[in-house]
Amino acid sequence: MKMNLKRVGFVLLGLVLILSVVGCSKSASDTNSKPDATETSGKYKAGTYTATAAGNNGDVTVEVVFDENSIVSVTVKGNNETEGLSDTPFERIPQQIVEGQTLAVDVVSGATNSSKAILAAVEDCVKQAGGDVDALKVAATTDDKSQEATELTTDVVIIGGGGTGLAAAGSAFENGAKVIVLEKLATLGGSTGLSGGGISATGTRFQKELGFEDSPESWMELWKERQNTSNPDSKYPDYDRVLTFMDDAVDTTHWLVDNMNHKYKSVEGYGVDPVARLHFPEAGGASLIANMEKSLKDRGIDILTETKATELITDDKGDVIGVVAENAEGKLIVHAKKVIIASGGFAQSKELMERFLPQFVEDIGISAAAAGSTGDGIVMAEKLGAALYEDPWVIGLGMGSLIPELRGIEWDTTKVLVNEKGERFMNENSHYAIVTNKVVLNEQVWMVIDSSEANAKLISSIEGQLPNAEIAVGNTIEELATAMQVPQDVLVKTMDTFNAGVASGKDVFEKEAKTLVSVDKGPFYAFKYYPKTMGTFGGVKVDEDYRVVKEDGSIINNLYAGGEAANRYLYNQVYMSGSAVQYALTSGRLSGEHAAKAVAEGK
């Protein structure tokens, strides 16, 4: 039942996203005289019209101005989309609609939902203005793509423009290499751009300036404690390499400020990680990417967006000598002395998730990983004989709901979680990666809350969603159990035991007293939650210099990989706060440096 309900839910959400347009109206501020359709010989009823359509994070409102024969302007007036990712569609699609007088406009890669929202809203405005929507959707017959491939030559070509790729580009350039970056999406950033941007490191000058004492030994102790909560049979982490990474991370943290136009707003702990070792930028991962991008552009480094790498080029010896890519102009061949794979993990690839991590495929729709995380570079390298890391896993981000209003409490560790049996199964005040690992082991997870004053605003926000298969309601715990379809006696015992632990301050799962909050005031609510990811552990095996290796340990000449394309050796199954972005940047910095120096030395 769980699987069927979720699939229906995703289908309905998709239909709403593509087709639904809500809150359409003609602008009250338009004071021009508007003739009826029968009174004009033009294509439209001249005037200003507005419409709203469902985007990725909420409604997108568009204003369209028409004269009698044309679309004069398209303006996005309001939205809740992710800053940075939505910038390109909000600028480009309105421009293309006006310039081409057409609705046959391609969505922007990596911002599909935002793009479709703009097009749906403009379509509604066209209807309001009496225009012919079908005619506007007919694309002009053109042959823009060149039949001949464009060829470029460089020292180092980097596949991917996220944290790993931009760090690699900056490092390779400052070590004397000519660099080209290929990014398949319209915007840079990848998963780093979507993250909080905090990077962990121990013993940095920034910690010392604030009076914080920290050491790799302290971080390593926590690292081992967290990894020991997961797969006892895993051969990872490789702790020698983890320790090397910790040392290199300090240099990267300094390098970003000294060489890449970056700065930190604060150094602090986070959640269940109280030690102040996370170095946060001013405005999350987006500002980290923006700072790095500016640094690269100031140096004149070529960054080609909406350019997807499709194949690694090799010579007759099997050495990598370039990349084949494609973009709007057609085929692109980049001849290079070194290639760095910085294209991310595979959390957004249904095919690769089914191959490696089938238990997470059903919930791929709520992943927080970047849209470009489809494992392209990993697959390209595998075709050349690259060894893949064993037993890949996800970078867990706790859990997620299908209902937007419930996403704000998914990290609330004071709440109570039960499974399909009506039983608690963990200490809810655990690291979010551990939460993911626990949640995926259960057929269905519910969060149970009561009607206390602390939950009043939340309950009010979801009342309009009822009835809903994702929400159960009951005036008593017995009624709630019936609505959840779990055994009444089990859920009653679970909640009685929990509330007794709240009263005594001693929880059966050893949950800290400060996070124990009773659940005893009806009516009661239960919300479905699902394991949520933000990336993957896996990729191709690399040596200490981030050179890609084969199963026999031999190097694939001229090929490097970093970030999520090569991160498995750091972890068992638990992500460490601030380490993924740090590893992206550190592996990018070091692979770029090694590649550039090898070019300079003729190796």
Side-chain angles (χ1 to χ4, degrees), residues 265-282:
K265 176 188 69 174
S266 63
V267 182
E268 55 191 278
Y270 185 75
V272 294
D273 293 330
V275 178
R277 64 170 59 108
L278 277 99
H279 299 65
F280 284 102
E282 291 184 328

Side-chain angles (χ1 to χ4, degrees), residues 152-169:
L152 301 174
T153 300
T154 191
D155 293 326
V156 179
V157 62
I158 298 164
I159 303 173
T164 307
L166 299 188

